[in-house]
Amino acid sequence: MTTSQPQAEQGNPQELALARWAELCQAAALFAIDPSLGGVCLRSRAGPVRDAWLQLLTSLLPANMPSRRVPLGIGDDRLLGGLDLTATLRAGRPIAEKGILAEANGGLLILAMAERLSSGTAGRLTNVMDMGCVTAERDGVALRAPARFGVVALDEGQDGDERPPTALMDRLTLWLNLEGLSHRDVGETVVTRVEVEAARARLPRVVADEKAIEALVVVAARLGVHSLRAPLLALRIACASAALRGSDFVEEEDVRIAARLVLAPRATMMPVSEAPEESDELAPQEDADEPDTSEAQDQTDAPPPETEPETPDEIPPGALEDLILAAAAAAIPPNLLAQLQAGKAARGRQDKGGKADAKGSSSKRGRPMAARRGELRAGRLGLVDTLRAAAPWQRLRAQQQASQQAVEDGALIKPTRRVIVRPEDFRIVR
C-alpha cells in the first residue's frame, strides 16, 4: 500500500505528492481504527489541505463519536472540571461541572496551536491520558470521571524549535507533516468507512509474533529512538494495519508501515549499515596450497551429513530488521537531522535563562496564569475566580448574616440574595 522510496523517486513531483497524500490517508485510516492509540500531531498551517485531512478523519470515525476543541490558554476549571458558578449561586450549594477532557470521553480531542501549549497544561493533559480518568478536587467539590480519548494536536509552528511539548509528543503515535502539499495534491480516498469498521471489529483478534516485535525494537534502537513508548505504539499500528488488510496476523508489510509512520519521524540519527567484520579465521593461510590428501580421502569415504531442506519463505536472522530499517530510512526527511540540531540549540539557549527569566511572573503583563489567593494591593483582582471561591459559602454566610442582624435589630430579617465576598476569597491574577 505504501510506495518505497526508490520507486517513488522515479516519478514526477505530482506523482510523489499523490503518493504522499495516499500515505497520509492510510495514516488517518489506521488512527480511525484505534483512536485510543494516543493521537496524531498534524504539522501544517491552516488551509484546505489540513481541512481535507481532518474531514477525512471525521468521515472514517463513528458518527456518534464526541469531539471537543481545546482553545489555547484554557483554564484548569474548564479543562479538568470544577465548580459550576452559576448553578452553585442559584442552588446555594457546591455543584460540580465536567471539563472538556471528561466531555471528550470515548471521542476526539483537538488541540489548537499545540506548539504554544504551556508545560503545565501539557502535564495535566498527559496525566489524564495515562490514567484514563479526570480527578479534580478544588473549590469545595470532588470530581472523578472517565476520560479516554484520541488527541489531534494541530502544530502550526514555522521553525524547527516550535513544536508541542515533549511529554505530549511522546504519547502521540503519528507525527504527520502536511507542509509542501497544495489543494491540487489532495486525491481520492482509497479507504472507506465500511473497511475501517470491519477492521475495528477484527482488531482484538490480531496477534503479532516475536520476530515482528523484536524487529521493531531493533529498528527503533538503530534509528536512535530512545522512548520506550515508540516500539509499543508502532506495534499497535502494525496490528491496525493487519486488521485493515483483513488478516489476523501481523506480517512484514504491516511492520514496514509501522516503522515508516511511527519510528521514522522520531529518528535522531541516520541508520548505519552493519557490515560483518573480517575475522582471522576466514583469512587465507599461507600453507593453504598444500591440502591434506589423507583427510580428504577419509571425507570422501564417509557418508554425507544429513541436512534439513531449506524453505524459500524462511527469512535469515537479521534480514527482517534490515528490510524494515531500509523502509524506515527511506521515509526520513533529508533535513530532519538539521532541524533536530537547530531545535536542541534553541532549547539550550532557552534553558540558560537571562533577564527575561529573572523577572518571573507578572501581575500586569503577559498571558494570565491560574489565579492565587492574595490581597487586593498585591495585583489585579480575578473576578470570576473570586466569585468561584466565595460561592460554596453563600448559604452559611447568609444564615450568619441574618442571625447577626436579627440579634442586633431584634427582628428576623430575610437573607439577602447578594453574593457575600470576604477578604479570604480574593484571588489575584498572575
Side-chain angles (χ1 to χ4, degrees):
M1 299 179 68
T2 57
T3 306
S4 59
Q5 188 71 9
Q7 293 178 354
E9 290 179 353
Q10 298 177 1
N12 54 33
Q14 183 65 23
E15 294 178 354
L16 295 179
L18 292 177
R20 184 181 170 190
W21 175 255
E23 189 173 52
L24 293 172
C25 293
Q26 185 184 23
L30 295 177
F31 178 68
I33 293 173
D34 189 7
S36 63
L37 280 171
V40 178
C41 178
L42 197 63
R43 188 174 181 86
S44 172
R45 304 287 292 179
V49 179
R50 193 179 76 175
D51 295 341
W53 192 90
L54 292 175
Q55 184 178 2
L56 169 64
L57 178 62
T58 305
S59 64
L60 297 177
L61 292 172
N64 57 349
M65 175 175 288
S67 178
R68 296 294 184 271
R69 192 178 185 92
V70 180
L72 183 65
I74 185 173
D76 293 343
D77 55 335
R78 187 65 188 102
L79 182 69
L80 303 176
L83 188 70
D84 190 342
L85 181 59
T86 304
T88 299
L89 293 176
R90 184 183 300 112
R93 57 184 179 84
I95 297 179
E97 179 186 18
K98 287 185 178 181
I100 289 184
L101 300 185
E103 294 175 357
N105 181 41
L108 202 63
L109 193 73
I110 302 177
L111 301 179
M113 303 180 70
E115 76 282 358
R116 299 186 181 182
L117 192 68
S118 64
S119 58
T121 303
R124 286 179 277 275
L125 175 60
T126 54
N127 183 44
V128 174
M129 294 174 64
D130 295 338
M131 300 295 294
C133 63
V134 178
T135 302
E137 297 179 358
R138 49 183 300 172
D139 299 331
V141 296
L143 176 65
R144 183 178 180 86
R148 297 185 179 275
F149 45 79
V151 177
V152 177
L154 303 179
D155 182 7
E156 300 181 5
Q158 296 181 354
D159 300 331
D161 56 339
E162 292 183 351
R163 57 183 305 177
T166 305
L168 178 61
M169 292 291 292
D170 191 27
R171 290 163 174 81
L172 301 182
T173 306
L174 302 173
W175 298 0
L176 305 180
N177 194 339
L178 303 183
E179 295 179 352
L181 294 177
S182 64
H183 65 280
R184 294 184 298 270
D185 303 326
V186 177
E188 298 181 357
T189 306
V190 296
V191 183
T192 62
R193 174 181 285 186
V194 177
E195 297 175 346
V196 171
E197 292 177 352
R200 191 180 298 119
R202 183 185 294 272
L203 183 61
R205 303 194 303 267
V206 178
V207 296
D209 56 3
E210 296 182 359
K211 291 183 179 180
I213 300 175
E214 183 179 358
L216 289 174
V217 174
V218 171
V219 171
R222 294 178 64 179
L223 291 176
V225 180
H226 305 294
S227 174
L228 297 179
R229 290 188 179 92
L232 297 176
L233 296 175
L235 179 61
R236 298 185 64 177
I237 285 291
C239 294
S241 176
L244 186 60
R245 290 189 302 102
S247 175
D248 294 340
F249 301 95
V250 174
E251 298 181 358
E252 178 186 345
E253 178 184 359
D254 306 317
V255 182
R256 286 186 182 182
I257 294 174
R260 288 178 59 89
L261 294 178
V262 181
L263 300 181
R266 288 173 163 83
T268 59
M269 64 180 184
M270 295 298 295
V272 181
S273 58
E274 298 180 356
E277 299 179 357
E278 295 184 357
S279 60
D280 297 338
E281 298 178 358
L282 299 180
Q285 301 179 0
E286 296 179 357
D287 55 352
D289 297 337
E290 299 178 359
D292 192 349
T293 56
S294 60
E295 294 181 359
Q297 184 67 25
D298 296 339
Q299 293 178 359
T300 55
D301 297 339
E306 297 181 358
T307 58
E308 297 181 358
E310 297 183 357
T311 57
D313 298 335
E314 185 177 357
I315 301 177
L320 180 60
E321 290 85 350
D322 294 337
L323 294 175
I324 299 172
L325 185 64
I332 297 178
N335 58 345
L336 176 64
L337 297 181
Q339 294 178 358
L340 291 174
Q341 294 297 333
K344 290 181 180 179
R347 287 190 294 270
R349 291 192 298 268
Q350 293 176 359
D351 294 340
K352 292 180 180 179
K355 295 182 179 179
D357 295 334
K359 294 180 180 179
S361 60
S362 172
S363 61
K364 299 182 182 299
R365 299 180 59 187
R367 188 173 60 190
M369 301 172 61
R372 63 179 178 181
R373 183 177 175 181
E375 300 179 358
L376 291 179
R377 61 184 179 182
R380 182 161 48 93
L381 178 67
L383 180 59
V384 177
D385 295 307
T386 300
L387 294 177
R388 185 176 289 109
W393 308 99
Q394 293 306 301
R395 175 176 294 183
L396 179 60
R397 292 176 181 177
Q399 294 175 356
Q400 293 177 351
Q401 185 178 10
S403 60
Q404 184 178 0
Q405 292 179 358
V407 172
E408 294 177 354
D409 301 341
L412 182 61
I413 300 177
K414 184 178 181 180
T416 179
R417 297 185 60 86
R418 292 179 299 177
V419 179
I420 304 175
V421 180
R422 294 181 178 177
E424 59 266 22
D425 302 329
F426 292 157
R427 296 296 185 267
I428 305 303
V429 177
R430 289 183 295 169

